[in-house]
Amino acid sequence: SGVAPAAPAPELGDASYYGDSLAGHATASGERYDPRALTAAHRSLPFGTMVRVTRRDSGQSVTVRVNDRGPFGNQRRVIDLSRAAAEAIGMIRAGVVPVELEIVEWGSGRRSR
């Protein structure tokens, strides 16, 4: 016993990021959007889930906490990053980059190893 649930396969797709105009607006979790925090929007992961986001073209990665829902519309986009997270993986100029998402820790206490 004591075996952690298997981690889901990494999710592949594109990442975009929030504009600064949304600073201070409420997110789906009720938190205010802070461009300087390492947070993100995902369509289905539980709030509080920690996700490692790795750029597939450069290998740069950042770990973010899911606190919002989205991105909506474009199905290729799998995550919307805060400005600080986007800066951490050097995607401000590009705007949209190919990424791989890995669960580091589940929200609500569920963990993935």
Side-chain angles (χ1 to χ4, degrees), residues 15-16 38 52-64 79 81-92 94 97-99:
S16 49
L38 295 177
R52 182 178 304 111
V53 180
T54 303
R55 267 187 80 160
R56 297 202 324 264
D57 57 356
S58 71
Q60 292 171 286
S61 71
V62 63
T63 299
V64 296
I79 198 162
L81 302 175
S82 66
R83 182 171 183 95
E87 287 173 352
I89 61 171
M91 66 172 279
I92 297 296
V97 296
V99 295

Side-chain angles (χ1 to χ4, degrees), residues 4-5 17 20-23 43 49 51-52 56-59 62 69 72 80-81 91 93:
Y17 71 93
D20 290 340
S21 64
L22 295 173
R43 288 185 191 92
T49 297
V51 180
R52 182 178 304 111
R56 297 202 324 264
D57 57 356
S58 71
V62 63
R69 289 290 169 240
F72 302 108
D80 256 339
L81 302 175
M91 66 172 279
R93 268 222 182 97

Side-chain angles (χ1 to χ4, degrees), residues 19-27 30-36:
D20 290 340
S21 64
L22 295 173
H25 287 238
T27 63
E31 283 180 44
R32 299 265 173 219
Y33 168 58
D34 179 354
R36 298 169 313 240

